[in-house]
Amino acid sequence: MPNLTRRGFIAASLAACTARTLPPLAAKVGGRRVLTLSYDKALGMMRAIERVVP
């Protein structure tokens, strides 16, 4: 059994709760996801922009 500090335990618990609750919530949200790649001149590289379209 790993030795966990209080902060580590809380972080692990929150990660487990998030992993359990987010997939069902994402499935309930209607619409589809659109991923667009665009060139950002300020950054000098490609950037991915994700949108949810109803």
Side-chain angles (χ1 to χ4, degrees):
M1 179 101 183
N3 293 330
L4 288 176
T5 62
R6 184 185 335 168
R7 187 175 290 169
F9 176 76
I10 292 172
S13 298
L14 286 175
C17 288
T18 302
R20 251 188 115 160
T21 57
L22 277 184
L25 288 177
K28 288 181 185 176
V29 175
R32 54 182 200 152
R33 296 177 182 269
V34 177
L35 182 67
T36 307
L37 294 176
S38 64
Y39 185 77
D40 191 345
K41 289 182 182 179
L43 293 175
M45 61 186 209
M46 296 295 284
R47 199 169 74 147
I49 301 169
E50 186 178 13
R51 295 185 191 138
V52 177
V53 178

